[in-house]
């Protein structure tokens, strides 16, 4: 399977009203690969991920998931795609009328015939994986920010999706949980899960990505393996890390 | 003038949204899975939590209307007719329209604010992202629960009002309980009762769809939820008022030819 394009994005434009956010984006993600998107806040990373599972429609362009064009699908077909492609929301997006257990169990009760006991075991295992034991009966309002985040990520892994889109998964996590999450992500990757990762955390990006794409002003400035990016686009990365505004764009920093 | 045009625009937008929501609901209504449990939970929420205000309203109107009508009729020696007038006014307006106003405030506002805040916190998107249709899981159970529970609350309210009315009749007008109730129950034609029931179903539908619509249109922030709730209630009121007018006119001109039957 390795080598085929699981996700392919072609001539992709997105705008909110009159504001064009992403301009003429084209890239692909191979099966079992982890692609990391780096870019400033507000460049449109979340928007891009939302488009891939059809939560937002692009103004123009195509998105293929396993050869099928997401842009042309109706809601019903999209539901099927979303079972394969999980999206870990930037803010967790937990259901606040349900407990942590119910939040995690929901995808399984909806889409599988598993018995309650099996579901209970799966949930327990997943909670342990994220160091969340004993939170089953709590409501999202009773969790800390980092806990919510982890529950959100755990929930999107329940169905064992083929592709996971992580939206800044390590934000608001402490170093221990960050390392833990990286471990889990690497484990899933080893099992063959494809992923797109949006992050501001360079060390996480370096640890798990096969390729890194730098986004600036709605365009991809550079894309390549972590090594090439580190070597060839060192100036850009350094600027980005130093916190220089517009640091990911050559034009802005040339003088 | 501009004010008026804006109103018109808003109105058109609302009706467009209303009908597209209705079509969306119908297109998903018969597809699996069905969320019975959520529907029952919503029925409990809407129904049980409204019982107090429904009872208070029914007792109060039963008392007030009986006294007013009874004491006026007594002057003409016609106090026996209190029960007939009472039951007609219950089915025509008090327990089918006035009570629905209260329920629009109670149930409709709850729906709008809940749906609105779910929308804001991306919970609708989260359902979609998990491959679950939020319309089917959130909207349809609420709409069905409204369609079932509001007519039931109306029936409960009319029964309470009638019993209170009978009690007041005995207390102040020296009327016999049994006679009062028997006269009352003999009065309305079956068609009239069915019409009243049908009316409450239509109003329940208005309330449910309107409040879901305004909830779903919350986009920008929590300040919008208050406004959306207020609008949902006002628009529900408008729809109920117009609906009552149209349906009653329709009933007396096409179904019930003439008003005589009510007069007996
Ligand atoms: N619902 C919306 N309506 C209008 N504009 C929006 C909306 N959502 C996002 N935007 C705009 O689109 C741009 C991209 O937003 P997006 O959330 O995709 O950024 P991001 O790259 O994920 O940023 P961050 O790293 O802060 O999460 C921003 O400039 C934002 O102002
Ligand atoms: Mg984002």
């Amino acid at each position: 399977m390795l080598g085929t394009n699981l996700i392919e994005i072609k001539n992709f434009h997105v705008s909110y009203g009159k504001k064009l956010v992403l301009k003429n984006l084209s890239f692909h993600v191979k099966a079992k690969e982890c692609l990391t998107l780096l870019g400033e806040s507000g460049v449109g990373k979340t928007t891009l991920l939302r488009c891939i599972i059809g939560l937002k429609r692009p103004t123009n362009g195509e998105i293929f998931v396993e050869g099928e064009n997401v842009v042309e699908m109706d809601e019903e077909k999209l539901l099927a795609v979303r079972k394969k492609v999980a999206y870990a929301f930037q803010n967790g997006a937990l259901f606040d009328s349900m407990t942590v257990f119910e939040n995690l169990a929901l995808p399984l009760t909806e889409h599988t015939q598993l018995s309650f006991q099996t579901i209970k075991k799966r949930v327990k295992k997943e909670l342990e994986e994220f160091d969340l034991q004993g939170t089953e009966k709590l409501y999202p309002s009773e969790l800390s920010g980092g806990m919510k985040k982890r529950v959100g990520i755990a929930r999107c892994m329940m169905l064992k999706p083929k592709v996971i889109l992580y939206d800044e998964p390590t934000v608001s996590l402490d170093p221990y949980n960050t390392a833990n999450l990286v471990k889990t992500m690497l484990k899933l990757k080893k099992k063959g899960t494809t992923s797109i990762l949006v992050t501001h955390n360079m060390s996480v990006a370096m640890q798990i990505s096969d390729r890194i794409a730098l986004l600036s002003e709605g365009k991809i400035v550079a894309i390549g393996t972590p090594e090439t990016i580190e070597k060839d686009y060192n100036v850009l990365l350094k600027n980005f890390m130093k916190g220089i505004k517009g640091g990911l764009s050559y034009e802005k920093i040339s003088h | 003038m501009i004010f008026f045009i804006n109103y018109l625009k808003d109105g058109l937008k609302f009706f467009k949204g209303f009908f597209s929501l209705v079509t969306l609901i119908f297109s998903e209504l018969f597809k699996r899975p069905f969320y019975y449990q959520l529907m029952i939970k919503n029925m409990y929420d809407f129904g049980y939590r409204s019982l107090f205000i429904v009872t208070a309203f029914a007792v109060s109107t039963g008392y007030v209307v009986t006294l007013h009508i009874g004491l006026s009729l007594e002057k003409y020696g016609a106090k026996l007719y209190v029960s007939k007038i009472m039951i007609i006014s219950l089915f025509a307006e008090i327990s089918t329209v006035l009570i629905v106003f209260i329920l629009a405030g109670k149930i409709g506002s709850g729906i709008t604010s809940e749906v609105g805040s779910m929308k804001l916190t991306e919970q609708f998107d989260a359902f979609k992202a998990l491959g679950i249709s939020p319309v089917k899981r959130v909207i349809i159970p609420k709409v069905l629960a409204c369609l079932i529970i509001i007519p039931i609350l109306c029936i409960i309210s009319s029964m309470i009002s009638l019993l209170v009315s009978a009690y007041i009749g005995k207390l102040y007008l020296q009327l016999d309980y049994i006679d009062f109730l028997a006269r009352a129950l003999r009065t309305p034609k079956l068609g009239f009762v069915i019409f009243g029931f049908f009316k409450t179903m239509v109003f329940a539908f208005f309330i449910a769809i309107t409040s879901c619509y305004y909830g779903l249109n919350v986009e920008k922030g929590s300040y919008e939820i208050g406004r959306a709730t207020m609008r949902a209630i006002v628009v529900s009121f408008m729809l109920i008022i117009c609906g009552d007018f149209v349906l009653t006119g329709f009933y007396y001109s096409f179904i019930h030819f003439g008003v005589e039957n009510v007069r007996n």
Side-chain angles (χ1 to χ4, degrees):
Chain A
M1 264 302 268
L2 193 74
T4 47
N5 291 342
L6 203 64
I7 295 179
E8 191 157 3
I9 290 175
K10 282 184 184 163
N11 310 326
F12 181 77
H13 298 258
V14 192
S15 49
Y16 287 101
K18 280 188 185 140
K19 183 176 162 198
L20 193 57
V21 177
L22 294 170
K23 304 160 202 160
N24 206 9
L25 230 55
S26 295
F27 66 90
H28 64 268
V29 185
K30 295 197 193 86
K32 302 185 182 185
E33 181 184 42
C34 173
L35 176 75
T36 296
L37 299 175
L38 282 180
E40 289 159 26
S41 177
V43 75
K45 304 178 298 290
T46 300
T47 305
L48 176 61
L49 296 189
R50 291 171 68 89
C51 285
I52 294 178
I53 55 166
L55 288 179
K56 176 160 176 62
R57 304 273 177 177
T59 341
N60 221 323
E62 290 156 326
I63 304 170
F64 294 95
V65 175
E66 291 194 312
E68 286 184 278
N69 195 346
V70 176
V71 179
E72 285 165 359
M73 286 184 187
D74 56 13
E75 276 296 316
E76 200 168 347
K77 275 193 179 162
L78 280 174
L79 291 184
V81 170
R82 289 168 188 153
K83 284 186 222 168
K84 285 187 293 195
V85 185
Y87 172 48
F89 282 79
Q90 188 163 2
N91 62 8
L94 302 180
F95 302 116
D96 52 20
S97 61
M98 302 183 201
T99 60
V100 169
F101 174 81
E102 288 166 328
N103 263 286
L104 291 191
L106 184 71
L108 295 179
T109 47
E110 286 286 335
H111 298 304
T112 66
Q113 310 292 329
L114 297 176
S115 71
F116 183 70
Q117 285 308 320
T118 327
I119 291 179
K120 221 171 155 182
K121 257 183 236 153
R122 272 294 311 278
V123 171
K124 193 155 179 266
K125 209 180 120 217
E126 207 71 40
L127 284 176
E128 269 163 18
E129 181 89 41
F130 286 96
D131 195 25
L132 286 164
Q133 307 90 316
T135 58
E136 281 102 330
K137 293 211 176 77
L138 298 182
Y139 282 90
S141 58
E142 297 165 312
L143 301 178
S144 74
M147 285 159 95
K148 276 184 204 160
K149 191 103 208 185
R150 281 177 281 152
V151 174
I153 297 170
R155 185 179 67 189
C156 85
M157 290 175 178
M158 293 305 288
L159 281 178
K160 304 204 165 119
K162 241 179 178 168
V163 185
I164 302 183
L165 313 175
Y166 300 98
D167 201 345
E168 309 195 5
T170 55
V171 171
S172 73
L173 294 192
D174 58 40
Y176 167 74
N177 277 304
T178 304
N180 206 9
L181 178 65
V182 170
K183 222 166 66 194
T184 308
M185 287 163 83
L186 282 172
K187 205 162 77 188
L188 284 175
K189 191 175 158 215
K190 224 174 180 176
K191 282 188 192 158
T193 310
T194 311
S195 54
I196 298 183
L197 167 67
V198 166
T199 186
H200 294 304
N201 187 328
M202 277 312 288
S203 90
V204 171
M206 289 299 167
Q207 277 178 70
I208 44 183
S209 8
D210 296 305
R211 284 187 306 151
I212 295 181
L214 304 182
L215 249 74
S216 178
E217 297 180 329
K219 291 185 203 132
I220 290 186
V221 190
I223 190 163
T225 58
E227 294 77 41
T228 35
I229 293 282
E230 206 165 24
K231 205 165 85 227
D232 300 352
Y233 298 93
N234 207 320
V235 199
L236 294 187
L237 272 187
K238 276 219 178 100
N239 281 317
F240 181 57
M241 296 305 293
K242 268 193 223 149
I244 294 176
K245 199 164 160 8
L248 280 177
S249 145
Y250 276 121
E251 293 120 52
K252 284 252 170 93
I253 54 162
S254 52
H255 46 266
Chain B
M1 188 63 198
I2 292 173
F3 202 61
F4 181 73
I5 292 176
N6 276 343
Y7 255 124
L8 210 65
K9 263 193 201 156
D10 275 0
L12 281 179
K13 192 172 153 233
F14 169 75
F15 280 111
K16 227 176 108 197
F18 189 95
F19 284 111
S20 57
L21 184 56
V22 172
T23 24
L24 188 63
I25 286 174
F26 271 100
S27 69
E28 302 226 353
L29 188 56
F30 302 105
K31 284 184 213 148
R32 277 169 188 287
F34 306 113
Y35 296 97
Y36 302 108
Q37 285 169 350
L38 287 174
M39 189 182 83
I40 290 166
K41 188 174 167 294
N42 279 318
M43 276 165 57
Y44 173 81
D45 278 354
F46 299 161
Y48 184 72
R49 302 223 171 117
S50 308
L51 271 184
F52 180 74
I53 192 153
V54 166
T55 311
F57 172 83
V59 170
S60 160
T61 46
Y63 171 79
V64 171
V65 176
T66 315
L67 266 191
H68 276 308
I69 299 179
L71 294 178
S72 317
L73 285 181
E74 202 176 22
K75 285 186 208 145
Y76 306 102
K79 64 180 180 185
L80 276 181
Y81 290 99
V82 173
S83 59
K84 285 170 177 287
I85 297 177
M86 192 63 203
I87 197 151
I88 295 295
S89 42
L90 282 180
F91 279 121
E93 198 75 10
I94 297 172
S95 296
T96 53
V97 181
L98 295 188
I99 189 78
V100 173
F101 279 141
I102 292 180
L103 295 176
K106 182 88 180 42
I107 297 175
S109 62
I111 294 181
T112 308
S113 48
E114 186 185 338
V115 170
S117 56
M118 284 183 80
K119 182 85 192 299
L120 273 187
T121 49
E122 293 190 297
Q123 291 180 53
F124 272 80
D125 287 339
F127 275 126
K128 288 187 193 167
L130 292 171
I132 300 165
S133 157
V135 171
K136 213 162 13 204
R137 209 190 138 99
V138 181
I139 303 294
I140 291 180
K142 287 198 192 316
V143 172
L144 292 182
C146 272
L147 283 179
I148 296 171
I149 212 70
I150 290 182
I152 291 179
L153 287 172
C154 289
I155 293 174
I156 292 176
S157 132
S158 66
M159 289 195 309
I160 296 174
S161 285
L162 198 64
L163 290 177
V164 169
S165 180
Y167 181 69
I168 299 298
K170 182 170 169 62
L171 212 60
Y172 291 92
L173 305 165
Q174 292 78 44
L175 296 170
D176 182 51
Y177 272 156
I178 307 293
D179 188 47
F180 186 101
L181 290 177
R183 267 169 202 277
L185 295 179
R186 245 184 290 132
T187 302
K189 292 260 155 27
L190 184 64
F192 187 68
V193 176
I194 293 175
F195 170 66
F197 195 72
F198 172 73
K199 230 164 58 166
T200 59
M201 293 267 279
V202 174
F203 298 157
F205 183 74
F206 287 161
I207 294 174
I209 303 286
T210 308
S211 24
C212 286
Y213 168 80
Y214 279 106
L216 286 172
N217 273 293
V218 170
E219 256 161 17
K220 299 196 182 77
S222 44
Y223 69 93
E224 250 187 287
I225 294 182
R227 217 170 50 192
T229 309
M230 185 266 291
R231 277 202 185 159
I233 296 176
V234 172
V235 173
S236 299
F237 281 5
M238 291 300 291
L239 288 176
I240 293 169
I241 292 169
C242 299
D244 191 30
F245 187 87
V246 172
L247 286 176
T248 307
F250 185 82
Y251 177 72
Y252 282 116
S253 12
F254 295 105
I255 302 175
H256 202 292
F257 299 108
V259 200
E260 288 75 31
N261 286 321
V262 193
R263 289 211 191 104
N264 62 2

